């Protein structure tokens, strides 16, 4: 399962979001709208995606 990866792209602004949501986005390594990161497809990563999924575009690689 560790060899699978997912690409996360920030598609919504952080303006007006709670400090918790901002910290979660920062923890993923995202700063600007349109920026993408590739992470391992782990249960912990999936949990983070559920928390702020409405702000992200998720693609399986």
């Amino acid at each position: 399962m560790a060899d699978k990866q997912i690409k996360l792209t920030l598609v919504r602004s952080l303006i007006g979001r709670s400090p918790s949501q901002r910290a979660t986005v920062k923890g993923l390594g995202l700063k600007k709208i349109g920026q993408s990161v590739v992470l391992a497809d782990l249960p912990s990563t999936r949990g983070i995606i559920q928390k702020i999924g409405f702000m992200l575009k998720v693609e399986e690689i």
Side-chain angles (χ1 to χ4, degrees):
M1 189 158 125
D3 30 301
K4 287 189 177 183
Q5 294 185 326
I6 51 176
K7 179 179 177 183
L8 304 175
T9 305
L10 187 63
V11 295
R12 298 196 131 215
S13 173
L14 296 177
I15 295 172
R17 303 295 175 208
S18 70
S20 171
Q21 290 171 332
R22 288 176 186 248
T24 303
V25 170
K26 185 177 179 182
L28 288 173
L30 297 168
K31 296 178 183 177
K32 297 180 177 182
I33 295 175
Q35 183 180 6
S36 298
V37 292
V38 176
L39 300 172
D41 189 6
L42 301 172
S44 57
T45 308
R46 290 289 180 169
I48 292 170
I49 292 169
Q50 280 190 337
K51 186 174 178 185
I52 58 164
F54 64 96
M55 298 172 66
L56 302 173
K57 176 181 170 188
V58 181
E59 301 172 57
E60 294 186 11
I61 300 178

